[in-house]
Amino acid sequence: MLNLTIVGRGAIGTLLAARCIEQNIAFQMWWRDAVTTPLSITMKDGKQHQFQQGKGQAPDILILPLKAWQIAPALDEFAEHIPTSCCIALLHNGIGTETLALNAFPDNPLVRLTTNRAAKKQQDTVLETGYGNSQAGWLRTPGDQVKQETEALFNRLLSPCEWHRDIRIPLWNKLAINCVINPLTAIHNIANGGLQSPHYQQLIAQLLDEFLLVAQAEKLTFEKSDLEHNVSQVIAMTAENYSSMHQDIHFKRPTEIDYINGYLLQVAASHGITLTAHQALYAQIRQLESV
Ligand code: KPL
């Protein structure tokens, strides 16, 4: 049986641990030794689970369900302790940690995931807030047997989970959603559903136009109507929820802006493209982070 290790005390990591219990998958959680309080989660169906720090067996699969900005320090921390056979899985919003992981672990299999499952955390208590599908793709593919076992495991853990030959497509699709909903809800201090107001429609259209310019420069093909549909569908389906960036600003935590609008701005700059609307949101979030 594969030894699955989930790193950190984040909302999505805790949700994965609960999914392991539901799916009868053996796992351990790793977090800093100094933290001794258990983590607890309440699922949408009302079931509750509690977790303690694991025993420290060497993992076969190491999942990093962390904030994007926590990935670089985590990679540094694990680089020396993880065997080359261990599969490293990155699961976070935004884009930009993939090359870091490929360089930090030059021989390990690497998988990149994104999920629409949702959970939120306050202190040591997590609440499952939404169901959704997940997308996955290999950044570095292992041999056939490990590949099949790993894919089967993620299919159970994050079901329904769709595997892509080019993970960039689902990652950019999610980026389009996050680079609209996350900064706008954080700046205007509203739940996702607040973006249904006519007041925001022109700006949302401009943000998507700018996104498309960069995607085209990267030779990634998206239809504007699909992006508009996806953004409004997520807004409607998560209307009552507060976005992760809203929560980060609210609780005075660092945001993932550098991996969302910041990533888009960086790719745009590499093509000589200026994005006024994304630049303005980026500056406003940076300002909010500093107060
Ligand atoms: O991924 C999200 C987030 O909050 O980070 C969305 C899809 C915007 C849901 O709130």
Side-chain angles (χ1 to χ4, degrees):
M1 203 191 316
L2 293 174
N3 180 353
L4 178 70
T5 297
I6 302 167
V7 173
R9 294 170 61 89
I12 296 294
T14 313
L15 181 59
L16 292 183
R19 289 283 305 156
C20 284
I21 292 186
E22 286 177 349
Q23 291 291 312
N24 232 347
I25 297 171
F27 74 102
Q28 61 181 344
M29 293 190 89
W30 275 3
W31 60 71
R32 289 185 200 290
D33 288 341
V35 185
T36 50
T37 40
L39 267 173
S40 60
I41 184 165
T42 305
M43 305 298 276
K44 264 172 93 79
D45 64 8
K47 289 210 181 80
Q48 297 191 327
H49 307 283
Q50 243 198 16
F51 308 106
Q52 295 282 359
Q53 165 85 287
K55 295 195 177 58
Q57 295 111 311
D60 300 308
I61 302 184
L62 184 77
I63 310 186
L64 303 176
L66 303 172
K67 293 285 186 179
W69 54 269
Q70 294 174 318
I71 296 289
L75 293 173
D76 276 352
E77 192 175 328
F78 291 120
E80 281 177 18
H81 311 293
I82 299 299
T84 53
S85 57
C86 173
C87 171
I88 317 280
L90 302 176
L91 171 57
H92 60 77
N93 268 342
I95 309 182
T97 60
E98 299 73 20
T99 312
L100 292 179
L102 285 163
N103 291 339
F105 291 93
D107 301 310
N108 294 68
L110 269 160
V111 66
R112 180 69 167 92
L113 300 124
T114 172
T115 186
N116 290 321
R117 287 182 176 269
K120 65 177 182 183
K121 185 179 169 203
Q122 237 173 325
Q123 266 126 27
D124 296 321
T125 309
V126 176
L127 192 64
E128 182 182 33
T129 52
Y131 300 134
N133 61 341
S134 303
Q135 322 275 341
W138 289 101
L139 299 174
R140 190 182 293 117
T141 314
D144 279 352
Q145 198 193 332
V146 174
K147 178 172 181 282
Q148 272 166 27
E149 281 177 12
T150 310
E151 290 183 6
L153 187 134
F154 280 114
N155 291 346
R156 282 169 67 200
L157 193 59
L158 286 169
S159 100
C161 180
E162 199 183 333
W163 287 82
H164 296 257
R165 201 180 283 272
D166 184 359
I167 187 65
R168 285 206 311 161
I169 307 293
L171 289 183
W172 276 70
N173 254 314
K174 184 92 194 294
L175 186 70
I177 293 166
N178 286 137
C179 72
V180 171
I181 300 179
N182 293 26
L184 284 176
T185 51
I187 292 163
H188 298 282
N189 192 13
I190 50 176
N192 294 354
L195 294 176
Q196 281 165 330
S197 155
H199 175 72
Y200 296 108
Q201 302 321 305
Q202 202 186 330
L203 179 53
I204 292 177
Q206 188 187 348
L207 288 165
L208 293 179
D209 281 335
E210 290 188 0
F211 173 92
L212 278 169
L213 278 180
V214 189
Q216 266 157 20
E218 284 285 294
K219 307 217 170 352
L220 295 167
T221 313
F222 293 100
E223 292 296 329
K224 181 159 185 214
S225 55
D226 290 344
L227 295 182
E228 279 172 341
H229 171 79
N230 293 348
V231 169
S232 39
Q233 202 182 27
V234 172
I235 290 174
M237 279 169 49
T238 62
E240 311 278 296
N241 295 358
Y242 288 94
S243 77
S244 54
M245 197 172 288
H246 175 282
Q247 295 291 282
D248 289 338
I249 291 292
H250 182 79
F251 292 110
K252 301 197 180 304
R253 304 184 293 231
T255 73
E256 295 179 295
I257 193 75
D258 277 330
Y259 300 84
I260 300 178
N261 305 72
Y263 174 76
L264 195 68
L265 287 165
Q266 205 186 310
V267 180
S270 74
H271 293 287
I273 302 170
T274 307
L275 307 178
T276 37
H278 287 278
Q279 184 61 56
L281 295 188
Y282 181 86
Q284 288 174 79
I285 293 293
R286 275 269 166 274
Q287 212 276 324
L288 286 172
E289 277 181 328
S290 67
V291 290

